[in-house]
Amino acid sequence: MERTIQFTLNGQPARVTVDDGRMLLWVLRQDLGLTGTKFGCGEGLCGACTVMVGKEAVRSCSTPVKDVAGKQVLTIEGLEREGKLHPIQQAFLKHHAFQCGYCTPGMILSAYALLLKTPRPAPAEILRHMDDNLCRCGAHVRIVEAIQEAAGVLKGGV
Amino acid sequence: MRPHDLSRRELLALATPGLFVFFPLEPLEAFQEPARLPGRQAGPTDFNAWLRIGENGRVTCFAGKVELGQGPTTALAQLLAEELDVAYDAVDMVLGDTDLCPYDMGTFGSMGIRLTGPLIRAAAAEARAVLVQMAAERLAAPAGRLQVKAGVVTDPSSAGKRVTYAELVQGKRIERHIEKVPLKPPAAFTVVGRPAVRKDARDKVTGKGKYAGDFAFPGMLHARILRPPAHGAALQEVDTTAAEKAGARVVRDGGLLAILHERRDLADRALGLVKARFTPPPPGPDDKTIFDHLLKTAPEPRLVGESGSLTEGAKLAHEVVEQTYLNSYVAHAPMETHSATAVIENGKATVWASTQAPFGVKQQVAQALGFTPPNVRIVAPYVGGGFGGKSGGQQAVEAARLAAATGQPVQVVWDRTEEFFFDTFRPAAVVKIRAGLTSAGRIAFWDYQVYGAGDREAHTFYDIPHRRTVSAGNWMGGNPPGMHPFGVGPWRAPSVNTNTFARESQMDILAAKAGVDPLEFRLAHLSDRRMRRVLEAAAKQFGWVPGKPAGKPPSGRGVGVACGIYSGTYVATMAEVVVPSTGRVQVKRVVTAQDQGLTVNPDGSRQQMEGSITMGLGQALGEEVRFRNGEVLDRNFDSYQVPRFSWVPRIETILIDNPDTPATGCGEPPIITVAAVIANAIYDAANIRLLQLPMTPARILEARKRG
Ligand code: FES
Ligand code: FES
């Protein structure tokens, strides 16, 4: 059903008039022009499209836009503040925790959700939390290192 | 008039709504990546083609390579900065743009640094020599006395005498040339061989970096293409009425039937409304019968290498081991599916495409559109992984054709099912090895036959007096029709994965038969100094000690060793695994030592090695494309098992210091040993020998039952 949906996107009010059954991924990428969130599988199986809705990381390819009405949505574009990288981004940069970079926005947002709930995750918790985010380039080792480093810098204050 | 007499324009005119009978004009294989690419052209000799010095002192480097993640943006910038004597941070890279960059065959085969590196170094060294000569004239000082640092030329014997590259060039082309300028000796390097922050880092952690599907233009349409359910199925009848009612446009262009919409997800929905009937595909092999099929359909084996005589060798043998090794088709499965955005304006087509070979795609697109090549520009922006699977650009051709047909910009982004369906898989293969041991535990002969995978590194490097290697069929194409029921192509370290798994498994079996520690057994058959060195380096780091009693395998500890060569790079790997009762093998630790000649960017190399090892876990333990009668059954990541965080072991990488040997590439080699080292470690842990990849829990349990 076509209707107007309002939510907060990266701290700013957002408003779209669309078929409300459309998936958030495509509304973000096409209607709102935020292409940092990636399409990888379309079925909730790879994590490339991960964004934050409220305090949870969700797969935007499988989240109808109507589900975010009135909520806070955070995408990779919303992490940088006044030209300063978020500590998780900084840690990914420092550790070169990416190769092709296609999985990276989803990885960073998943890590964000983890550190929000578990400020000092044990390595096993990182692996468990990140296990459904796929990286074909094999940047896993460095992604784990980056998350550990970001946890140390953030000390709970995501 | 028969349908294939219609011109494209006439066919387009036929695209009226409703039901119609469809005659595909192109074989379905036309959707596939080409197995072979256009031949090589030499790089330009004028250094201006490679670099430009701006008025602001920034240096732009142009190279036809593509940034797939392996970091050529960074390593090539380091090489340029080194030879030109400018700051690494002052270098901007322009890659993969056919209008701006010199011709390049493509980014594959770990050739980025090996082949393009020397061209850029030579160009930068010549440019530096010319600039120093110009500075000498300007400063009225002998060139030999001048020094250059960070793009500033100074005369150390006369304070204040200085001129910058930017002042010398003033944004112009440099018209002077000097022949045969020597390169810097490695000992003088200050940038090369040291870590550098990746040039693409900020773009990638902020989500600002653009991939081919991230481009958008006013009026752009998203296309979904009607695909057959199986290879070999032909479209008979199609009804697009419902899709059109839902607001989509339908375009038919030759064998292409596309559903277009301003929104990608609504194009998906409309495609779902298309009713199509296909002829059933002809019966063909499945993932279980494929190995017999390969043996039956393979061409006559070709001799790859031979020394001594197998008959003589057989006389020396006291014991003979004969084994058959199998591996399945595996997919490239890059996280970014094949994507392209095409715009045609004033008779010129520009296509942003996820491809490893923009210059090859330029030819493909020009041909498809009937444009002259200068009227086609291909830009490969950041590409979300390739691994050999993006060696062509069929999606770019599709986008360009649809842009021509609609007169609007068109984007094509394959969905995950298309990616699995039209991938050019790593070929399934059969390797048969017969080898004999003397009573003294030496290998007497080695008879090696590979079917389906290709002959790279098939001929063993071990010291064996009597050996013979033959190969039938290839990943490169040229196979008898129907041998591989799908497109096959290069997959990270093509054919060497298959050959290394077989050879190194067989070596382990022979070591066990001889009752010798597998490392010792290998060293006893190796005089190649570089191979010995990587094995010894890996053993030292790993803390390899022969098992008890007296090194007789299996030791029960779950440790393994394997080694190999890929395109001149030497690799030795050791691993430790646990084989639980579920059969789900957990790799605990991997140590890889690599000799790749000159290392341009040590951290970048380690990163590539880690990635390659991690990717190798997939084909070793989980990846396998299942199929039946041309239908690909694994279509997404629920059933196709790529490596995940929980699979990844502790990885330790060792780079052998060997700067005087030219760089040989680092991204592919470490993957070649992974399957074998795991198979050998599984044997050491559980006394079971896995001969087929991937070593899934089901196959482990089956092997256990067999005992
Ligand atoms: S695209 Fe959403 S999980 Fe893969
Ligand atoms: S960096 Fe390429 S998929 Fe993760």
Side-chain angles (χ1 to χ4, degrees), chain B residues 427-438:
Chain B
V430 179
V431 179
K432 292 176 179 245
I433 312 179
R434 258 184 56 199
L437 276 177
T438 67

Side-chain angles (χ1 to χ4, degrees), chain A residues 38-42 44-49 59 61:
Chain A
K38 301 297 184 209
F39 163 75
C41 70
L45 299 167
C46 76
C49 66
R59 304 296 196 225
C61 70

Side-chain angles (χ1 to χ4, degrees), chain B residues 190-234:
Chain B
T190 59
V191 185
V192 167
R194 303 187 187 200
V197 176
R198 282 180 67 131
K199 292 264 176 204
D200 52 354
R202 200 165 174 109
D203 276 355
K204 287 182 175 175
V205 302
T206 56
K208 286 189 187 127
K210 283 212 187 306
Y211 299 77
D214 294 338
F215 291 83
F217 297 92
M220 185 171 85
L221 296 171
H222 295 264
R224 292 305 316 278
I225 294 160
L226 182 67
R227 307 291 192 186
H231 291 275

